Amino acid sequence: MTLSLRHHIDLLTSPDPVMMVSVAAVKGSTPREVGAFMLVTRNRTAGTIGGGNLEHQVTRRVVDAFAEQLDGKSDTAMLPNGEIVRFPLGPGLGQCCGGSVEVGFHLLDAGQKADLGDVLSEIASEPVSQSGRWVMLPVAGDAGGLHIAASDSLQAGMLASGFGTERGGIVTINGAETLCLRLDEALTPMWIFGAGHVGQALVSALAPLPFDVHLIDSRDDYLDRVKGENLHIHQSDKPQDEVADIPAGAHVLILTHNHALDFDICRAALMRGDLGFVGMIGSQTKRARFVRRLSDRGLGAAEIGRLTCPIGIQGITGKQPVVIAASVAAQVLSVREAQMAQNQTTKAASDGVG
């Protein structure tokens, strides 16, 4: 179960009152991104908004409010609910990030706990790659309760035009300020061709990371050995034909047992032109040979330039499958983060923000 969702679900199914604490907005350097959230009860927490003194102070505020309510010193109405509170991350909090965080506080009633628990259970059992699930929470002073929607709904479409990141933020919906948080991880589709030793190690390395992994091989016996989260198994006698079904923006890693098959998959992937990353295991010699053959088959410099081979980050030279997998996982995670930052910058520019 990814993202420690088991802990979130356990809290939501307990009889204790639950406060949803979230990062509503950020400025400057901060320990977590917009949309990060945690759940707080009288004596337990699940998730994190960045740790450190910020999280300690926020948690203490909620726990103290719960304690006063339990002692009869205040009622539920006095608990922070729908508030957005700004915390500068400076000397006052003993943190030197230099930015500031706006933190949202939302007390969940029994129905909201059940709704949130249900959707987190769905995400845990069937992760979403691109569609996404959102929770919408009213900001203090505005009517309405917690609402959950998929990103292809009308309201989620309004969200997409309201802020520059898919991780959440405060937008105006139907005239009311609303805090919107993405509940899943916006997993990036990752297609791995080859279920050999390195392919198996990559599945394990990518399991806790924000990728929705598809593993393709012609060999049933190799595929039968692989288990993992966010994993889809595809047996195909012609793996190169599967390239046409890969969604735009997906990442592709090519590491089959056959160089001729590597070439066919590589050529098909590079001809797509809309994939986020195309990487292939191999040496500089293999790359040079493939570049010549790709050029002979009519691919231009721009298409060939989209190929990353060898794969992995500089400085890691170990050949063990687990070492290669760790190096490649770091590389594709770096590519993913850069692409997300570029998408945010592009959207901000198109919206006239800057």
Side-chain angles (χ1 to χ4, degrees), residues 15-334:
D16 298 328
V18 175
M19 184 76 71
M20 189 173 191
V21 178
S22 57
V23 178
V26 298
K27 183 177 181 180
S29 177
T30 59
R32 284 301 304 271
E33 69 284 350
V34 171
F37 70 92
M38 61 186 295
L39 302 176
V40 183
T41 70
R42 294 188 179 102
N43 50 27
R44 290 194 294 166
T45 65
T48 177
I49 59 169
N53 201 28
L54 168 67
E55 187 167 307
H56 173 74
Q57 294 295 335
V58 166
T59 302
R60 188 77 262 158
R61 172 176 177 166
V62 174
V63 170
D64 288 348
F66 279 146
E68 290 187 6
Q69 189 250 340
L70 186 65
D71 294 340
K73 296 179 182 179
S74 66
D75 57 23
T76 302
M78 297 300 294
L79 291 170
N81 190 16
E83 294 183 18
I84 306 292
V85 181
R86 181 176 177 271
F87 291 85
L89 300 178
L93 278 181
Q95 295 187 226
C96 55
C97 295
S100 64
V101 178
E102 292 186 48
V103 177
F105 297 85
H106 288 85
L107 180 65
L108 306 181
D109 62 29
Q112 292 169 340
K113 287 170 59 180
D115 289 345
L116 186 58
D118 287 345
V119 75
L120 292 181
S121 295
E122 291 174 7
I123 292 169
S125 62
E126 189 176 343
V128 177
S129 297
Q130 304 230 322
S131 58
R133 293 180 179 92
W134 300 81
V135 60
M136 284 155 265
L137 300 147
V139 175
D142 290 312
L146 175 148
H147 177 65
I148 295 170
S151 67
D152 57 357
S153 70
L154 175 62
Q155 282 187 306
M158 295 169 67
L159 304 186
S161 63
F163 47 83
T165 172
E166 291 190 81
R167 298 291 302 187
I170 302 172
V171 298
T172 300
I173 297 178
N174 297 328
E177 274 201 327
T178 305
L179 173 61
C180 306
L181 309 172
R182 183 155 186 168
L183 297 176
D184 57 25
E185 272 290 88
L187 305 181
T188 297
M190 169 67 74
W191 289 63
I192 300 174
F193 288 86
H197 296 302
V198 176
Q200 294 172 37
L202 266 168
V203 168
S204 297
L206 295 172
L209 301 177
F211 293 96
D212 189 32
V213 179
H214 296 250
L215 181 65
I216 305 92
D217 204 298
S218 60
R219 304 166 296 177
D220 283 318
D221 54 332
Y222 278 78
L223 292 172
D224 290 342
R225 303 172 191 174
V226 187
K227 300 290 187 292
E229 294 181 346
N230 306 335
L231 176 64
H232 312 272
I233 299 292
H234 304 267
Q235 190 284 330
S236 176
D237 292 332
K238 293 185 176 181
Q240 62 270 34
D241 292 346
E242 305 298 319
V243 174
D245 294 329
I246 299 176
H251 291 193
V252 172
L253 292 171
I254 305 164
L255 31 104
T256 79
H257 60 292
N258 184 300
H259 279 208
L261 181 57
D262 280 353
F263 179 82
D264 289 340
I265 296 168
C266 176
R267 179 172 178 269
L270 295 177
M271 290 178 66
R272 284 280 305 265
D274 60 353
L275 299 175
F277 179 84
V278 178
M280 183 174 63
I281 197 167
S283 63
Q284 291 290 352
T285 300
K286 179 179 178 180
R287 176 188 175 86
R289 289 174 178 170
F290 272 49
V291 167
R292 285 196 297 271
R293 291 185 62 196
L294 290 167
S295 180
D296 291 343
R297 295 289 293 273
L299 272 68
E303 293 167 312
I304 296 173
R306 289 194 287 267
L307 173 63
T308 297
C309 177
I311 48 176
I313 60 177
Q314 295 269 336
I316 297 180
T317 59
K319 302 301 183 183
Q320 304 96 318
V322 290
V323 173
I324 296 171
S327 177
V328 174
Q331 181 182 40
V332 295
L333 189 62
S334 176

